[in-house]
Amino acid sequence: MKHDLAIRGGTLATATETYRADIGIRAGRIVTIAEAVTDADDVIDATNRIVMPGGIEAHCHIAQESGMGVMTSDDYLSGSMSAAFGGNSCFVPFAAQNKGESLANTIQRYDGRAAPKSVLDWSYHLILTDPTPDVLAELPEVFAKGVTSFKVFMTYATRVSDAQFLDILSVAGKHGGLTMVHAENHDMLDWMGRRMVDGGNVAPRYHAPSRPGLAEGEAINRAISLARLAQAPLFIVHVSTPVGAKLVAEARANGGQVWAETCPQYLSLTREDLDKPGMEGAKFICSPPLRDTATQAALWQHVQGGSLSLVSSDHAPYRYDETGKFHAGKDVNFRQIANGMPGIEMRLPLLFSEGVTKGRISLNQFVALSSTNAARIYGMLPRKGTLSIGADADIAIWDPNQTRIAGEMHDNMDYNPFAGIEVTGWPVTVLGRGRRIVEGRELMAKPGDGLFVKRATVDLTGQPGHPVPELDPAQNFGANLS
Amino acid sequence: MKHDLAIRGGTLATATETYRADIGIRAGRIVTIAEAVTDADDVIDATNRIVMPGGIEAHCHIAQESGMGVMTSDDYLSGSMSAAFGGNSCFVPFAAQNKGESLANTIQRYDGRAAPKSVLDWSYHLILTDPTPDVLAELPEVFAKGVTSFKVFMTYATRVSDAQFLDILSVAGKHGGLTMVHAENHDMLDWMGRRMVDGGNVAPRYHAPSRPGLAEGEAINRAISLARLAQAPLFIVHVSTPVGAKLVAEARANGGQVWAETCPQYLSLTREDLDKPGMEGAKFICSPPLRDTATQAALWQHVQGGSLSLVSSDHAPYRYDETGKFHAGKDVNFRQIANGMPGIEMRLPLLFSEGVTKGRISLNQFVALSSTNAARIYGMLPRKGTLSIGADADIAIWDPNQTRIAGEMHDNMDYNPFAGIEVTGWPVTVLGRGRRIVEGRELMAKPGDGLFVKRATVDLTGQPGHPVPELDPAQNFGANLS
Amino acid sequence: MKHDLAIRGGTLATATETYRADIGIRAGRIVTIAEAVTDADDVIDATNRIVMPGGIEAHCHIAQESGMGVMTSDDYLSGSMSAAFGGNSCFVPFAAQNKGESLANTIQRYDGRAAPKSVLDWSYHLILTDPTPDVLAELPEVFAKGVTSFKVFMTYATRVSDAQFLDILSVAGKHGGLTMVHAENHDMLDWMGRRMVDGGNVAPRYHAPSRPGLAEGEAINRAISLARLAQAPLFIVHVSTPVGAKLVAEARANGGQVWAETCPQYLSLTREDLDKPGMEGAKFICSPPLRDTATQAALWQHVQGGSLSLVSSDHAPYRYDETGKFHAGKDVNFRQIANGMPGIEMRLPLLFSEGVTKGRISLNQFVALSSTNAARIYGMLPRKGTLSIGADADIAIWDPNQTRIAGEMHDNMDYNPFAGIEVTGWPVTVLGRGRRIVEGRELMAKPGDGLFVKRATVDLTGQPGHPVPELDPAQNFGANLS
Amino acid sequence: MKHDLAIRGGTLATATETYRADIGIRAGRIVTIAEAVTDADDVIDATNRIVMPGGIEAHCHIAQESGMGVMTSDDYLSGSMSAAFGGNSCFVPFAAQNKGESLANTIQRYDGRAAPKSVLDWSYHLILTDPTPDVLAELPEVFAKGVTSFKVFMTYATRVSDAQFLDILSVAGKHGGLTMVHAENHDMLDWMGRRMVDGGNVAPRYHAPSRPGLAEGEAINRAISLARLAQAPLFIVHVSTPVGAKLVAEARANGGQVWAETCPQYLSLTREDLDKPGMEGAKFICSPPLRDTATQAALWQHVQGGSLSLVSSDHAPYRYDETGKFHAGKDVNFRQIANGMPGIEMRLPLLFSEGVTKGRISLNQFVALSSTNAARIYGMLPRKGTLSIGADADIAIWDPNQTRIAGEMHDNMDYNPFAGIEVTGWPVTVLGRGRRIVEGRELMAKPGDGLFVKRATVDLTGQPGHPVPELDPAQNFGANLS
């Protein structure tokens, strides 16, 4: 068979296994995996390289206004470019509904931002901020269009009530949508935040105690309880505490469809970074906040043991200036500083280096955590996230031995919170549908090369998901849980 | 020493031990406990009787409008009388704040209901329905007056938000007040309730599935999290699930000041009682609802093992007619039926019979669960709830061998949900401050004989309670809980 | 490229994904996976079929004397043949050390049984019955030969003490061996067993209460504690209780390398099967015993949620006659009846039918549970258990729609405990290294066609397994576990 | 009534409450508690003092050879004297069976040691070292004589197997005996100990890692499982880990009759004390070993929350010389050093000072933990451990404000591990059956003044203990525990 492109000589790594093979690509798809693929117009030599499914960044904020109204510094060009240089060939930013806006309109608005600029294939997670009955009624159509996941907040101005959450979960569960949730107890955060500020504790370092782990544990427990009642699948974003990870694992062992992710910052940084002098700590303000080293170690164990299914960046690029972190001025308390840090380009190298290179996780776990699990959970398997026949040729070619000190990235940011960390293992070539997006230090793709990815609904007959029975009105939900 | 009254020949039982002694009473107080008390104007022969601290009913609704606006059938006369016939010599009904009302006024209103009528000493738990800043500011005064506990709801129209709950807990914790909470997740209940009714499942039996155990477990976990953050003591009323009892026990083992009670209905009845034909099931509608037999068995174990500190009646007397259960008419769905059942007179005999007589708990546990623990938790020790010098001579004299089939009670109700149960062990004489309130089947006390009991604040240096440190703004609350 | 064999038109299912592709095989290995494989000497049409990695049966007793000295009815011919008809293309029976025997000798003895007869590729788990220092010293050589896993017992005459267990784990952990354990507390079983028999409770049905779930939970907790101290990986065989599954999941979430399996009998049968009249219940005597339906449901959830990594048959074929079950006679108590039941041919169809067909697990979970996870945990990836380039062409072609009532199998047994169950989904063709072993109802392979599989040690730098640090003598193992 | 002695003006504290009263004593018993006791031959002025039940030391080694054959430095004179100066009026040392010895003989031997010398009332816990069928058959007689508790070991040469443990528990449970257990996994300790020594890690500080918390957690879980199967009550001695305390609390919440104690050393010292220079660390070698500060904090919470019922000294007085710690010489490894430390005189002052004075526990919890709970659990209520009519006048009069630095004690030891700690709250007068044992710094009692205390069996109808049903052979013990 004739191929457009062959990747030869590499070691293939999937979520399952590592083996020697060549890959043959035609019309953007993998059409052959074989001992030797010879008949190709173009060849990439992957000798001494690892050939993996390109990363799928499943949690990032691109061309999106924050809850505080601050626009991210990255648009779909700089954001997708930075992601590509970090080994990703697909990403799923958020499309945030405005109050009063139809979801169709939200998607259309974001299409206008993404389509002309993205060098990566993309999809959206919607952010539901206004779950009116009309909006809930619109959800099945949105799922049918391929936007099959959406996020709600349990904190911020955009938070949903438990009642709204139940209605949302119920609709989503019935129609195969996956509800994602930012789980922190709003009132606990607000109460602590006000206490801190009222007590004159306004420096960035007070961000951490203002958002206690208790607030995350409480909210995760509540979200799982609501999902169990509504019989809907649930995904907990950016888990930062062992108690949260444990609740997720227990829910699954008790028959629930509950998954979760953590982020590199919770595995690599600590709240001591918030103690940096002056306003420097502002660079490390994200939510949930950075925790302590014992928490970090325990989270690694949950990553190793499978409690957590993804490591996502939560790339939220607000510059260290008045357009970003200090949109409300420089002389502010920590509550007025934009929450979030960049990391879309660091996610895979950091996870590889701290995980695979340091022997904490296997290479195959790396693939699962960075790509395949995202594809499965978010309905892109087997098109994305895998090296298999028929799949998009979304491929990252990796040099496991390259060592660099993290420094400036390709995003539109003015700082890198991970700067200075020695990282071993970097991508050298990244393909999207068989095209080179990045080769070495060169961007090969052009703005608009990326395509929208239509995603499947949650597979109710398999993993993730199983048949959602009708609610039995006579069932005694949880009466005798012990 | 000269005594007004001696109780002679009895076996004394306290929360700690059982022994033979006489009791000498003067001016309403126990002044002598001795092998023999001879010098007394009046003598009660307690040979073959158990002499115990009179019961303290710590959860009952008397002369109180329900959230649905239905007045209880019992006022302070019938209520206190029925309690006395059930072995109680003190009770603590609720005083429910009206919206917009000052707490001083609430207490005054209830004083008008209680003082002229009660045959028992009484105190109030306030019910906070309108926790404005002014009302919170009033709390310390209320505690100083001796009303040191109050209830909030996490469900019903009177529910508090988590933010309000935190403010309330914080004030209460600082000033030695004990926050009690009805812990069920409102939105879960409302969502399920509407689903049931919308699906045409309107019979009383659907009350149980409409209030799943999940909703109780979620709310108890949340309440404990909030109390932990606010560093305040907490009491969970009417726990009906093992998961709830377990959360309470774990909180205490982790250093929290959290206590809880269950009720005789959760130990003796099941949701199958709701299945009775016609509207008969309405008699068994209470909240949380009756559960199943496995739940019941597990709750007994938590009572035995000490997870639960009290067994209270939650006497909520709404008659099986248009003045009570069917205030909204006979042709209604279960959500329109008044929640609650009577039981103030059955509590102690049932707990004695099912507990002590059947060998599930010791006699001393009975005393602790029915009287002493209430006195300790609610700030009445050592004046009430104990047989010790200086204590009010509030005494129940018990015939452990008397067997009766439960039937009509002395309350103002038209049914007894426990009717037909064979009960062994009944009170024969009940004293309040040394006066006979009940003797045999006679009421000896007169309306208004009872006095208001001024209760102590939670002892912050001991049990329950320990010093409440100032919040450390740099503390990492719960970040690494595992 | 020229192929010996092509499988065309099928739907491939792996542990990760499901997709359309052809497979090209040469010299027994998969060399091409492609949209179309045209150039082949031989073709299998797999239209409307699922093409999966052949099952790997990782727990079976073949040509092995039981602890009671009873030889299994299946030798490597009937055993491997029955396995093949059940969709397996590889199996790992036990090679049981005799007392005083060197491990080299044990392997040699079993080679004599397996090599001439097996139609499947095979490896062994050793059974250590005599872990003398010499035997432990031999372990690294055995691992180097490719026999990298072995089982110990916590019950039966062959049980190891905790001290022996620690020494074994320590050697195994250091040299990359995986310790498997039958975890039931021997003394609890013996004590209960004697009590049953002494009380005249001798019928087969008393087998279940004689081996309480408590004994399994205790032993699993102990085994995990020992493995944690010795810093060694551990595999728990045939978990039959939720408490056991939960301990395994928790161990992994706490950083332990602990995996486990359950068996179809615990997912499909219950202790009520032991109640059959006469001695019929003897057919259902296995250890651990069958449990109740609530246990079954909870185990399914642990399978779905990933607590349990494999479903293995524990095929232990003792005929329902004097050569097997009744080796000690017909007039015996339950303790004298041989433990075990057949199931090597039923495992995959049952798991497919009860799992995939009924929507409890996904097709990909089925592959993971029946093949890929065994290959990974037991060191055969990527040679076995996967459809990838370079892998042995061990392939099962499945008809997902074929329905049959389970009846007689191809093993050498006189009963099938699963007889009568309707099963949808059966293998139609099974390949081993590219050769047809089974086609339709025909056996195509000849005795001795199978080859020994040399397995890798546990990958200490990846999954499963991570670097085993030297024991730090100053470390406070578990002092403050909470 | 005429009294031999009155205690006037004091504040009485019991396990339940604190109140003002006088106590009248006649013939060694409390016969009157009253506002004022005037008619007495002798008077103690207790103004500004706390009057409490005398301490009951329930875990101490007196005139007993250790497992290593070393005789304690304290006999019944010095031991009881030291205990008395520490506020105790009763103690329960161990009577250790010799191999081959009948229990009657053991008791007789110890009677010879105790009766002529003890200044305190005493009883024994037997230590079963040779649980032959004859010895088990003797147990009911021993219980009938009033020796109703006994200890077994899960480690040391005297350890019992699980099988023996079950037989013992079963006999004890049926006849009302309470089985106490030293719960550490012997093989884990031995394995780690040998590793330490083989690695040249012989200094006292290696004692701590040689006995990891894992070994305690494992053994406690096992002991509880065995007791649950045998349906017998159980007492875990000297719990030193939160995981152990948690298992005890959970067992009780699940219906088990399981209690436990911890010791002052686990609440006040840490493993860092073992790091002292030279062999100084030997003074802090006890078993289980001292743990870290996080463990300590968690244990305090379990004491506060009620998981642990007693704080006992585990007084094991081996001098810091060749008669004790260094019986095997000075140039030894840590495994050859006698395990144990003194503390019988420090227990109550330390618990008072660290507990009550520092606000961690209430005064009433102090009484419960130091006296009343021991009396209840060990069958001495209401004769000992309480201030009630008919009780022995065993009374400690306490000065809550006296502050001393802990230094030399009245025992026969050459060091005090708690030396240097500032302690506020000391006993000033201690009575035994109405006689002054200690007054100020004077010993008033004479050797032999103490009497043997006949103890009740575990109350099978109450607390602790409930009816022990016959084992139901068809019951599925724990099959579906989750």
Side-chain angles (χ1 to χ4, degrees), chain A residues 16-17 31 33-35 386 389, chain C residues 16-17 31 33-35 386 389:
Chain A
T16 303
E17 74 259 292
V31 293
I33 303 177
E35 279 193 349
T386 174
I389 306 310
Chain C
T16 303
E17 75 258 292
V31 294
I33 304 177
E35 279 193 349
T386 174
I389 305 308

Side-chain angles (χ1 to χ4, degrees), chain B residues 157-452:
Chain B
T158 50
R159 69 191 175 277
V160 294
S161 69
D162 289 359
Q164 291 174 311
F165 203 168
L166 281 167
D167 283 337
I168 291 167
L169 283 161
S170 181
V171 170
K174 266 212 193 71
H175 296 278
L178 178 59
T179 307
M180 307 159 73
V181 63
H182 177 136
E184 290 184 287
N185 181 303
H186 177 77
D187 287 1
M188 290 170 83
L189 303 187
D190 188 52
W191 191 80
M192 284 295 280
R194 281 187 289 108
R195 260 179 114 88
M196 295 290 142
V197 171
D198 291 353
N201 298 308
V202 298
R205 68 188 303 267
Y206 294 103
H207 177 67
S210 82
R211 300 181 88 105
L214 262 175
E216 177 174 299
E218 188 289 313
I220 290 177
N221 184 70
R222 182 152 41 101
I224 290 173
S225 299
L226 295 170
R228 231 174 115 186
L229 189 67
Q231 302 189 18
L234 183 69
F235 188 90
I236 318 284
V237 298
H238 49 50
V239 171
S240 69
T241 58
V243 69
K246 193 180 161 193
L247 286 166
V248 168
E250 285 177 356
R252 223 154 44 219
N254 289 326
Q257 296 180 278
V258 182
W259 302 270
E261 72 189 2
T262 189
C263 309
Q265 47 272 41
Y266 304 116
L267 298 171
S268 296
L269 306 175
T270 71
R271 63 200 302 245
E272 292 179 16
D273 290 300
L274 287 161
D275 295 343
K276 294 210 159 61
M279 294 305 272
E280 197 82 358
K283 293 178 178 174
F284 300 92
I285 286 184
C286 60
S287 292
L290 302 177
R291 311 286 184 185
D292 57 23
T293 49
T295 299
Q296 211 177 71
L299 283 177
W300 268 114
Q301 293 185 338
H302 280 287
V303 167
Q304 293 170 323
S307 309
L308 300 168
S309 302
L310 299 184
V311 175
S312 305
S313 75
D314 194 7
H315 181 73
Y318 304 113
R319 294 171 65 98
Y320 187 64
D321 62 22
E322 289 74 10
T323 69
K325 287 289 181 188
F326 302 113
H327 65 99
K330 272 276 183 179
D331 187 22
V332 292
N333 70 56
F334 67 88
R335 305 188 78 197
Q336 300 165 299
I337 296 169
N339 283 359
M341 60 172 71
I344 203 165
E345 191 168 343
M346 292 298 300
R347 178 179 75 111
L348 298 187
L350 262 178
L351 184 62
F352 191 97
S353 185
E354 294 293 313
V356 181
T357 306
K358 295 198 173 165
R360 286 186 177 118
I361 57 173
S362 73
L363 180 56
N364 310 113
Q365 282 180 300
F366 171 78
V367 175
L369 290 162
S370 64
S371 177
T372 311
N373 287 352
R376 175 188 299 115
I377 291 169
Y378 292 124
M380 293 186 273
L381 257 188
R383 183 165 161 203
K384 301 282 189 190
T386 174
L387 301 179
S388 64
I389 304 309
D392 284 350
D394 285 11
I395 295 172
I397 302 176
W398 211 264
D399 180 351
N401 300 314
Q402 191 182 128
T403 298
R404 275 193 261 156
I405 305 295
E408 210 173 320
M409 297 288 113
H410 293 82
D411 55 14
N412 203 16
M413 285 294 293
D414 52 359
Y415 78 95
N416 174 359
F418 305 103
I421 299 180
E422 185 181 274
V423 174
T424 296
W426 292 87
V428 289
T429 305
V430 178
L431 306 183
R433 283 175 286 104
R435 299 164 300 111
R436 287 166 179 83
I437 306 175
V438 159
E439 180 140 51
R441 311 229 166 165
E442 297 290 310
L443 178 71
M444 311 297 285
K446 291 188 309 296
D449 274 358
L451 293 180
F452 173 76

Side-chain angles (χ1 to χ4, degrees), chain B residues 16-19 21 26 31-36 252-254 301-302 305 359 362 365 372 381-382 386 388-389 462-463 467, chain D residues 1 16-19 21 26 31-35 252-254 301-302 305 359 362 365 372 381-382 386 388-389 462-463 467:
Chain B
T16 304
E17 75 259 292
T18 307
Y19 59 99
R26 196 172 50 207
V31 294
T32 307
I33 304 177
E35 280 193 347
R252 223 154 44 219
N254 289 326
Q301 293 185 338
H302 280 287
S362 73
Q365 282 180 300
T372 311
L381 257 188
T386 174
S388 64
I389 304 309
Q463 179 199 33
Chain D
M1 199 192 313
T16 304
E17 75 257 293
T18 307
Y19 59 98
R26 194 170 54 203
V31 294
T32 307
I33 304 178
E35 279 193 349
R252 222 156 42 220
N254 290 326
Q301 294 185 339
H302 281 288
S362 73
Q365 283 181 299
T372 309
L381 258 189
T386 175
S388 64
I389 305 309
Q463 178 200 32

